[in-house]
Amino acid sequence: MKKILIFLAVCVSMTAFAQKTEIPEAPYLPIDERTNLVTYQDVVKQEGTPKVLYDRAMNWVKKYYKNTAEVIKSADPEKCVINMRSSVRIYYKDKDGTMRFKNIVYYNFKLECRDNRYRYTITDFKEKATGSAPIEVWFNTSASGWTPSMYGYLSQIDEEMHKLIDSLEEGMQPAEKFVDEW
């Protein structure tokens, strides 16, 4: 009887190891068809001249980012274009469930203003540790070293980009005019 139980235990454990771990569904991030890079881009209709929109964009950048001297790579008030490079932090879940800092992912951010509209383009995401490896490699489940946590990193980046875009769109609204009616 003992031999049969040992045999069944070995068979069950071998079956468990033989099964492949299930790969979770990849998070949706917008991929530019031309560059094959994760790219957040939109043209937002907003009333105002290019100069007015550019000034609002600069005011938003100064409020949103702590160190604008590091973030702003170029700003052209005549062409109404701001080029920036910033970063987002990503975290991993420790064995005890605690979120711990993993690394920084850098991205390029361009704001362009025209009559009654502006366009933002956020792209070229790269993890600081690898320097030149784009985050798009995290979608490749067949790559050596791939882990399901990479999908979690992509989801974190997506969440942070949506917060950034929401803040930008709010910051590009005209300031409410205060009327002192006393």
Side-chain angles (χ1 to χ4, degrees), residues 102-105 125-135 137-138:
K102 182 199 183 308
N103 211 337
I104 294 173
V105 173
F125 293 86
K126 292 187 174 129
E127 185 180 16
K128 182 181 179 183
T130 55
S132 61
I135 63 167
V137 299
W138 293 342

Side-chain angles (χ1 to χ4, degrees), residues 177-182:
K177 298 200 177 181
F178 177 74
V179 178
D180 190 13
E181 294 181 19
W182 56 284

Side-chain angles (χ1 to χ4, degrees), residues 41-104:
Q41 185 177 57
D42 197 10
V43 175
V44 181
K45 292 184 181 194
Q46 183 65 60
E47 198 171 307
T49 65
K51 176 71 174 132
V52 166
L53 294 175
Y54 175 84
D55 290 342
R56 279 187 208 155
M58 283 300 284
N59 287 335
W60 173 81
V61 168
K62 290 173 184 174
K63 287 178 187 172
Y64 190 82
Y65 293 105
K66 292 177 185 172
N67 189 352
T68 55
E70 278 291 312
V71 172
I72 298 173
K73 296 304 171 192
S74 67
D76 188 338
E78 290 186 22
K79 292 182 180 176
C80 298
V81 175
I82 307 168
N83 286 298
M84 296 166 276
R85 179 120 175 110
S86 191
S87 62
V88 61
R89 293 172 162 250
I90 54 174
Y91 299 85
Y92 69 95
K93 197 175 276 190
D94 207 349
K95 290 178 183 177
D96 64 357
T98 305
M99 294 301 279
R100 304 225 184 258
F101 173 73
K102 182 199 183 308
N103 211 337
I104 294 173

Side-chain angles (χ1 to χ4, degrees), residues 22-29 135-142 146-158:
E22 192 171 309
I23 296 174
E25 188 174 330
Y28 172 78
L29 276 75
I135 63 167
E136 290 77 12
V137 299
W138 293 342
F139 285 106
N140 184 0
T141 58
S142 62
W146 184 89
T147 64
S149 61
M150 291 176 175
Y151 281 175
Y153 305 148
L154 291 169
S155 294
Q156 291 174 45
I157 292 167
D158 185 55

